[in-house]
Amino acid sequence: EAQVTQNPRYLITVTGKKLTVTCSQNMNHEYMSWYRQDPGLGLRQIYYSMNVEVTDKGDVPEGYKVSRKEKRNFPLILESPSPNQTSLYFCASKRGQGSGNTIYFGEGSWLTVV
Amino acid sequence: GIQVEQSPPDLILQEGANSTLRCNFSDSVNNLQWFHQNPWGQLINLFYIPSGTKQNGRLSATTVATERYSLLYISSSQTTDSGVYFCAAALGGANSKLTFGKGITLSVRP
């Protein structure tokens, strides 16, 4: 079954404690991306990657890092989380580059920073 | 960037009723997708439909790319159809960033 898997699904953490949200896809997709969803602001892109070792900033990259060492994995790293990073996070992947083809989303990760 | 607008913002239906959800977008798109976000926050892919018409069970969608709109039809609605429906579009280019509309909140009452 085609899947984008995120972990953890739910997390409460404290300000400043580094955390990583993992993302893995089993569809051999070249393109992967992270979004955050906030009330009144909708979904916004954080970072994206067009292939292994190729990453670039989206609309709201501040406070986040990513890496793409393997095709299937695209972790989101919060080096020093702050309460304004409390959000619902989605990882997404797509075959190929360019905007054609269906984008598949993971189930979401609810992150609360206190 | 591209603008995506959805209407109506809220919709209340009696179970069994039909509905049409609209999405307008401001530019030519290479990707247009409809999603259903369930109460647990999961984004469920409904349709990839940059143009044309597709059907999947009680749901169907039509995109008229030249007129820059897409419609999602829900027939014989069920309570499990409740949730938020998002339309999202992407322009051509290397970054496949989807721009989402604000969503349509659908409540289906038994």
Side-chain angles (χ1 to χ4, degrees):
Chain A
E1 181 189 353
Q3 276 190 329
V4 179
T5 303
Q6 301 178 219
N7 279 294
R9 295 285 319 284
Y10 306 92
L11 180 64
I12 302 174
T13 190
V14 296
T15 298
K17 184 177 180 182
K18 180 180 178 180
L19 71 93
T20 299
V21 186
T22 64
C23 175
S24 180
Q25 48 93 4
N26 65 358
M27 296 169 277
N28 201 37
H29 285 169
E30 290 82 7
Y31 178 92
M32 298 185 75
S33 182
W34 278 101
Y35 290 78
R36 59 178 289 174
Q37 183 179 16
D38 302 290
L41 297 174
L43 283 95
R44 296 174 291 168
Q45 190 186 53
I46 304 171
Y47 267 94
Y48 67 96
S49 168
M50 292 196 288
N51 215 323
V52 175
E53 302 292 1
V54 181
T55 64
D56 208 344
K57 297 177 181 178
D59 295 325
V60 288
E62 295 77 19
Y64 305 94
K65 285 174 57 177
V66 292
S67 68
R68 187 89 183 275
K69 293 182 169 48
E70 304 166 285
K71 199 173 189 180
R72 64 183 291 124
N73 296 323
F74 190 44
L76 180 70
I77 303 156
L78 286 74
E79 293 273 2
S80 183
S82 62
N84 65 12
Q85 292 179 297
T86 293
S87 189
L88 174 57
Y89 291 86
F90 289 100
C91 180
S93 75
K94 184 184 74 69
R95 179 170 57 88
Q97 298 179 12
S99 59
N101 295 320
T102 303
I103 294 182
Y104 295 88
F105 282 80
E107 293 184 315
S109 295
W110 294 88
L111 172 63
T112 301
V113 184
V114 298
Chain B
I2 189 172
Q3 308 295 318
V4 179
E5 295 183 355
Q6 295 184 244
S7 60
D10 302 282
L11 194 53
I12 300 174
L13 298 176
Q14 204 65 33
E15 198 169 27
N18 303 329
S19 63
T20 301
L21 286 61
R22 186 177 180 99
C23 172
N24 293 332
F25 43 92
S26 62
D27 210 334
S28 298
V29 298
N30 279 14
N31 184 350
L32 191 293
Q33 291 184 231
W34 283 96
F35 298 89
H36 174 213
Q37 188 165 39
N38 64 23
W40 297 271
Q42 297 170 327
L43 278 174
I44 311 299
N45 265 316
L46 296 178
F47 294 102
Y48 166 77
I49 188 164
S51 64
T53 298
K54 290 185 178 179
Q55 179 153 9
N56 184 4
R58 294 181 298 103
L59 302 181
S60 64
T62 294
T63 297
V64 183
T66 53
E67 297 186 23
R68 298 182 184 169
Y69 73 87
S70 183
L71 301 174
L72 177 69
Y73 305 97
I74 304 175
S75 64
S76 304
S77 58
Q78 301 176 357
T79 56
T80 51
D81 294 331
S82 297
V84 183
Y85 289 80
F86 288 101
C87 163
L91 301 173
N95 181 10
S96 303
K97 180 182 78 172
L98 282 173
T99 297
F100 284 75
K102 293 189 184 303
I104 295 171
T105 301
L106 174 65
S107 298
V108 181
R109 296 180 172 169

